[in-house]
């Protein structure tokens, strides 16, 4: 089947690549000519493991095409997936102007039936608004459908999540739309054995926001428990392990640390709170989830302050700029909180990340970016770990201690075993562990 995917960010590019790889003919459209130019040269605008190889394979097989023109995308396929950004707008409300713009452009150009599928995370009832927009801008009475098919792709494992999803959710209003989406996903369902759930559009939209908000709640819950653990002399890892073995709770997303970041959780929780407000429900629980997430960063900052006493003129090595390992994405990353604060306090910073430094540098140019961990920590008064990269896990602690001026480690990801690090002579602070 021919499919157009509008937006070649993490979501659009991974989704388009997956569709091509299961045999569909895919046109990826983006209004950023630089990105399309890169993709045509088989250069990836984002880092995601194995993505480049898979794009190359499908381009060479003639199943993947790139364009900057929505009109071309509208002509190309009966089904268009909308995967443009939905960044936070005014007071936490999702900014849907890009989604609206795509709806408008498709409506003005289409000459026969089209199915517009919302792939980006959008507030409930966006589908309805999109329908109104398309109806308004259609030049004649052409049939169309709008559907919701939320993405559940984690950066770093996005391709795996696309090919082997836990579930596929489609929100549809007609049998025609349902049947098109069932056909598109048939190879994924067959290979992975996952369920394809059909529901109405509002339910599909809410499933996405509720899922991400629940996962964020799980993280904030364990982070709150970590604070109690610190006060009670308990170990949050042992508590989380003990909780997680209960199948009703589950062990995943119970890692305490510096708090969640990324392009989705902070924005989606914000949007869900805002949307609930608009509908007339005060989602107090999620407001608290947000506060706990922020407090976790502030708490770690206090540990730095407490240990160094005076931050001014101290050399701090920051390990990890990405919001999680396996990606070069720094959107809402903890590093964006710590680095400006430490700079303001007068610290000399050395920054290390295996792949995210260029993206961080776009926001904070002119800082001291390093490519080698040992070079980064040489002569440092303190090491601050913000991302659990494998390279950080594998650090030779003896060499690290020898390289530093004073062996102080603040571990925002609970990477090391407190006892063995302290035995090596480090002053070591982590999250929720004695
Ligand atoms: C984004 C959201 O952040 C996420 O919550 C949602 O589920 C999907 O969309 P991501 O793919 O990471 O995820 O976004 P981003 O990297 O910003 O990519 C969006 C792409 O759309 C960009 O390449 C941008 O150039 C493109 N775009 C944006 C268009 O092609 N047309 C527009 O009008 C606006
Ligand atoms: C998320 C959703 O999981 C995915 O389904 C899709 O909707 C996009 O958004 P992503 O943001 O890529 O994926 O990363 P995820 O693995 O969910 O982690 C989000 C943040 O939570 C990261 O900053 C991570 O470090 C943090 N996290 C995760 C914790 O602090 N503790 C945990 O136990 C798990």
């Amino acid at each position: 089947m021919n499919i157009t995917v509008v937006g070649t960010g993490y979501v659009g590019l991974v989704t388009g690549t997956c569709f091509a790889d299961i045999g569909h003919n895919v046109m990826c459209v983006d209004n950023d000519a630089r990105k399309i130019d890169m993709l045509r040269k088989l250069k990836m605008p984002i880092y995601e493991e194995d993505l480049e190889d898979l794009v190359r394979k499908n381009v060479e097989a003639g199943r993947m095409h790139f364009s900057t023109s929505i009109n071309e995308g509208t002509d190309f396929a009966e089904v268009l997936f909308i995967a443009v950004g939905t960044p936070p707008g005014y007071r936490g409300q999702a900014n849907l102007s890009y989604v609206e713009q795509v709806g408008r452009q498709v409506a003005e150009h289409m000459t026969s039936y089209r199915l517009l599928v919302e792939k980006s995370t959008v507030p409930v009832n966006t589908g309805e608004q999109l329908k109104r927009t398309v109806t308004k801008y259609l030049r004649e009475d052409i049939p169309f459908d709008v559907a919701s098919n939320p993405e559940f792709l984690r950066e770093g494992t996005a391709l795996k999540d696309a090919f082997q999803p836990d579930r596929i959710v489609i929100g549809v209003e007609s049998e025609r739309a349902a049947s098109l989406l069932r056909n598109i996903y048939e190879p994924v369902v067959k290979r992975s054995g996952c369920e394809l759930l059909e529901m109405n559009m509002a339910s599909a939209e809410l499933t996405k926001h509720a899922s991400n908000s629940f996962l964020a709640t799980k993280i904030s819950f364990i982070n709150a428990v970590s604070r109690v653990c610190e006060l009670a002399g308990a170990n949050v890892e042992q508590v989380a392990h003990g909780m997680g073995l209960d199948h009703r709770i589950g062990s995943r997303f119970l890692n305490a640390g510096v708090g969640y970041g990324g392009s989705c959780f902070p924005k989606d929780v914000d949007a869900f709170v805002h949307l609930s407000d608009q509908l007339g429900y005060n989602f107090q629980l999620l407001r608290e989830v947000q506060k706990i997430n922020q407090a976790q960063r502030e708490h770690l900052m206090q540990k730095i302050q407490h240990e160094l006493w005076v931050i001014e003129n101290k050399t701090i090595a920051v390990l990890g700029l990405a919001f999680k390992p396996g990606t070069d994405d720094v959107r809402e990353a903890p590093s964006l909180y710590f680095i400006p604060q430490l700079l303001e306090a007068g610290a000399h910073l050395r920054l290390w990340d295996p792949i995210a430094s260029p993206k961080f540098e776009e926001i904070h140019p002119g800082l001291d970016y390093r490519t080698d961990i040992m070079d980064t920590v040489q002569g440092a008064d303190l090491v601050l770990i913000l991302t659990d990269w494998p390279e950080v896990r594998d650090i030779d602690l003896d060499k690290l201690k020898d390289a530093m001026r004073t062996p102080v480690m603040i571990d925002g990801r609970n990477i090391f075993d407190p006892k063995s690090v302290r035995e090596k002579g480090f002053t070591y602070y982590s999250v929720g562990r004695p």
Side-chain angles (χ1 to χ4, degrees), residues 151-155 208 212 215 219 253-255 259-261 264-265 323-324 413:
E151 54 89 11
F152 298 103
L153 308 172
R154 288 162 303 169
E155 290 179 24
K208 174 59 200 269
N212 272 3
L215 290 169
I219 298 170
F253 280 71
L254 279 183
N255 295 318
Y260 59 78
C264 280
F265 284 1
F323 82 97
K324 65 182 237 184
R413 296 293 180 174

Side-chain angles (χ1 to χ4, degrees), residues 72-263:
E72 211 179 319
T74 307
D75 290 336
F76 180 77
E78 197 177 15
V79 186
L80 292 101
F81 284 80
I82 304 179
V84 295
T86 50
Y90 178 61
R91 291 169 66 193
Q93 199 169 8
N95 173 356
L96 299 172
S97 60
Y98 302 134
V99 174
E100 194 251 8
Q101 194 176 314
V102 173
R104 228 178 329 130
Q105 287 173 324
V106 172
E108 283 178 340
H109 190 74
M110 64 192 250
T111 51
S112 59
Y113 175 85
R114 290 292 176 269
L115 167 61
L116 279 94
V117 188
E118 311 159 347
K119 190 77 181 158
S120 309
T121 306
V122 291
V124 66
N125 290 334
T126 300
E128 279 304 319
Q129 299 286 6
L130 193 58
K131 251 168 53 187
R132 276 183 36 200
T133 299
V134 175
T135 309
K136 213 177 343 169
Y137 286 90
L138 269 180
R139 277 178 302 184
E140 50 190 301
D141 191 18
I142 303 165
F144 75 93
D145 275 308
V146 169
S148 162
N149 168 222
E151 54 89 11
F152 298 103
L153 308 172
R154 288 162 303 169
E155 290 179 24
T157 53
L159 283 165
K160 183 180 161 289
D161 292 342
F163 287 107
Q164 288 154 343
D166 287 343
R167 77 304 206 186
I168 295 166
V169 172
I170 60 172
V172 281
E173 292 196 325
S174 77
E175 180 44 38
R176 186 171 188 177
S179 147
L180 282 166
L181 286 168
R182 276 197 298 265
N183 284 344
I184 288 172
Y185 280 112
E186 190 185 50
V188 177
V189 172
K190 260 197 187 145
R191 276 185 227 172
S192 67
C194 77
E195 258 189 82
L196 185 145
L197 308 174
E198 281 179 42
M199 50 185 87
N200 68 24
M201 272 203 298
S203 304
E205 290 165 337
L206 268 182
T207 302
K208 174 59 200 269
H209 264 122
S211 297
N212 272 3
S213 298
F214 184 78
L215 290 169
T217 304
K218 227 177 152 183
I219 298 170
S220 277
F221 182 86
I222 203 65
N223 278 333
V225 171
S226 82
R227 299 291 292 276
V228 181
C229 284
E230 287 182 12
L231 297 168
N235 183 326
V236 73
E237 269 178 358
Q238 290 167 354
V239 174
H241 186 57
M243 287 168 63
L245 289 179
D246 184 328
H247 290 299
R248 292 170 302 175
I249 297 173
S251 59
R252 294 164 76 192
F253 280 71
L254 279 183
N255 295 318
V258 65
Y260 59 78
S263 72

Side-chain angles (χ1 to χ4, degrees), residues 413-434:
R413 296 293 180 174
N414 285 359
I415 288 182
F416 296 106
D417 171 47
K419 189 162 167 276
S420 42
V421 188
R422 286 191 189 117
E423 275 169 9
K424 294 218 180 267
F426 281 89
T427 303
Y428 180 71
Y429 294 93
S430 57
V431 178
R433 302 185 301 174

